[in-house]
Amino acid sequence: AIVGRNGRGKTTLMDNMTPFPVMPSRAGADGPGGFSYYDHVFLPESVKDLVWEHGGERYRSQLVFRLNGKKKTEAFLHVRQGDSWQPMRLGDGTVSDGKVDTYVQCVEQILGSAETFFTSVFAAQGRRQLSAYKNAEIKTLLADLLGLDEIRALGAKALETAKFLKTGLLAVRQERT
């Protein structure tokens, strides 16, 4: 249990115990996209360093927020391999290279989208109840949880293959007649 008076950082501590570059209790009603760490850091350089585990693998997230003149964020995701940390590499060759976009891609490959994670796994203080979600939001959440996007992509590839086969078959039939 974490105990303390209001304003002492309990929620901030809990918010930062996820690898996503967002603090869910601070995100607005429009979701995680309406949040900026720069509203919550004050030093010229602030670092969020988190070691976490999922599916038997150990990961290390490092988010660096710089405020010296212009705002700059670097984000790294490493996976533990033996006695060392190696940059996270996805099956398609994407490597966590310090860019926020590739970092988020890597984290979402492991945990799913931030919206689904914060709805189904990590409930922030004051979050919207599932019963308040609209039908389309529930469908999106279920599609993400069940991995339906991957099935849809596979279906689209199968449809494209079928079209090529039909075209080829039509040419063979015409040649035969």
Side-chain angles (χ1 to χ4, degrees):
I2 300 174
V3 180
R5 293 193 327 246
N6 289 348
R8 299 294 183 211
K10 301 178 300 293
T11 300
T12 300
L13 180 67
M14 292 303 294
D15 273 352
N16 281 288
M17 292 182 77
T18 75
F20 289 97
V22 65
M23 293 188 337
S25 72
R26 305 287 197 282
D30 54 346
F35 169 82
S36 172
Y37 260 103
Y38 290 104
D39 296 335
H40 302 278
V41 296
F42 303 98
L43 298 173
E45 181 175 291
S46 299
V47 178
K48 174 183 172 178
D49 196 342
L50 177 70
V51 175
W52 52 283
E53 192 171 310
H54 182 77
E57 295 281 343
R58 183 167 279 190
Y59 302 95
R60 182 177 185 188
S61 294
Q62 294 176 306
L63 299 148
V64 181
F65 307 96
R66 292 194 174 87
L67 281 173
N68 49 358
K70 67 176 192 171
K71 297 175 182 177
K72 181 172 173 33
T73 304
E74 291 179 302
F76 300 93
L77 180 63
H78 293 88
V79 62
R80 186 75 176 193
Q81 293 179 345
D83 292 336
S84 66
W85 293 104
Q86 299 298 319
M88 178 69 188
R89 181 180 302 273
L90 299 180
D92 67 0
T94 301
V95 177
S96 179
D97 56 3
K99 296 178 185 143
V100 175
D101 290 343
T102 54
Y103 172 84
V104 169
Q105 258 187 288
C106 290
V107 170
E108 287 186 347
Q109 181 73 36
I110 299 164
L111 298 175
S113 72
E115 291 82 3
T116 301
F117 181 82
F118 290 124
T119 301
S120 62
V121 179
F122 189 92
Q125 181 175 307
R127 74 171 169 94
R128 192 166 52 133
Q129 298 294 316
L130 273 177
S131 59
Y133 280 59
K134 295 181 172 92
N135 285 344
E137 293 171 309
I138 293 292
K139 286 179 185 176
T140 301
L141 177 63
L142 286 173
D144 195 23
L145 286 171
L146 297 172
L148 296 181
D149 288 338
E150 294 170 19
I151 293 171
R152 281 191 194 115
L154 190 57
K157 286 181 183 178
L159 183 62
E160 187 176 332
T161 302
K163 285 180 185 177
F164 286 131
L165 289 173
K166 283 181 183 178
T167 304
L169 183 60
L170 183 64
V172 169
R173 282 185 179 157
Q174 286 177 348
E175 185 179 301
R176 296 278 177 186
T177 56

